[in-house]
Amino acid sequence: MRQLTSLLFLALIASIGEQATAKSATLVGSSIASQAQQAQTVPEVNGQVVFQQVYAVPGKTRDAIFNELKQYLDQVLKRPNALPASRITAAETEEGTLAATLHETLWFKRSAWVSDFATIICQLTFEVRDGGYTATLRNIRYQYDALTDAQQDNLLKAEDWITDKEALTKNGTKLTRVGGKKLRVKTIDLKTTLFAGAAAACGATQSSIVKQ
């Protein structure tokens, strides 16, 4: 009887743990979606979508920050959703410039019966200096079979899908089904993950969002 009671107790604890994990994941997803729904969350510079943030790393030299960010980029290329076409395109120590072209899978829904995803192609750069760096994500495009014609260019530009004009409804209170709830939310999620990962890699703190 005691053994049965113990097994039931362990099963209850496991169930509670699974529910807490699922709730946490739901809250994170909800937070990202809520952020994406806000106007001006996706900045535009000269008509192009450009995410850019300045970070401070007090007490570290440019070379030290550069090396840590280079190691981070190497890990980014090995992420589970990274595709083989991803590569580092610039690693100029003297100029403090790091750049990579990323090809990643954005999963919208994934189950035994449904696979709804797009490929995002974008450029991630770091301009490194003594005591800090600037992170930029730009040149964002997508390949999404559900919206493309096999006989035509399959690249969808971020400017045509995730900006306030394209991804928010006319009254600005809701996200559109594809450009908003799918592409915009997942792009902001990716940007947040990449920028936060880089900051953690070199002990940086966000200084400001660059105003253009």
Side-chain angles (χ1 to χ4, degrees):
M1 182 68 178
R2 290 181 179 178
Q3 184 177 7
L4 177 60
T5 302
S6 297
L7 290 173
L8 290 173
F9 177 74
L10 291 173
L12 177 62
I13 293 298
S15 176
I16 292 173
E18 290 176 358
Q19 293 176 16
T21 300
K23 183 177 181 181
S24 176
T26 300
L27 289 174
V28 171
S30 177
S31 174
I32 293 170
S34 177
Q35 177 190 8
Q37 191 167 323
Q38 299 175 10
Q40 300 182 352
T41 303
V42 176
E44 294 182 72
V45 179
N46 296 326
Q48 294 188 333
V49 172
V50 178
F51 295 98
Q52 192 170 75
Q53 291 180 355
V54 177
Y55 290 86
V57 193
K60 283 191 177 181
T61 65
R62 182 182 66 182
D63 287 349
I65 299 170
F66 183 95
N67 290 333
E68 289 170 337
L69 290 177
K70 173 61 167 58
Q71 291 178 9
Y72 170 68
L73 272 185
D74 289 336
Q75 293 303 312
V76 167
L77 301 187
K78 300 175 184 177
R79 285 157 46 91
N81 290 333
L83 299 173
S86 297
R87 65 191 186 282
I88 293 177
T89 55
E92 302 170 359
T93 307
E94 293 184 2
E95 291 77 13
T97 300
L98 278 167
T101 297
L102 305 182
H103 294 242
E104 289 211 7
T105 302
L106 300 180
W107 286 102
F108 307 132
K109 189 172 184 179
R110 190 177 189 181
S111 69
W113 301 275
V114 179
S115 290
D116 186 13
F117 65 93
T119 297
I120 185 172
I121 304 168
C122 54
Q123 183 183 49
L124 175 64
T125 64
F126 300 109
E127 295 295 337
V128 188
R129 59 191 173 278
D130 288 337
Y133 65 92
T134 300
T136 305
L137 189 71
R138 61 190 173 194
N139 295 339
I140 303 169
R141 295 155 291 159
Y142 310 95
Q143 290 178 326
Y144 188 27
D145 289 347
L147 295 176
T148 55
D149 185 336
Q151 304 301 320
Q152 299 179 4
D153 184 358
N154 289 341
L155 290 181
L156 308 175
K157 296 181 179 179
E159 292 76 20
D160 296 331
W161 289 92
I162 70 170
T163 61
D164 289 353
K165 177 182 177 182
E166 304 297 340
L168 298 179
T169 55
K170 291 183 179 180
N171 58 11
T173 60
K174 295 181 180 180
L175 294 168
T176 57
R177 186 176 67 86
V178 176
K181 294 179 181 179
K182 291 184 178 183
L183 298 176
R184 180 174 168 119
V185 168
K186 289 296 184 178
T187 300
I188 291 174
D189 185 16
L190 177 63
K191 179 270 300 183
T192 301
T193 299
L194 291 173
F195 283 15
C202 58
T205 57
Q206 183 176 328
S207 177
S208 64
I209 297 176
V210 176
K211 301 295 184 181
Q212 298 289 344

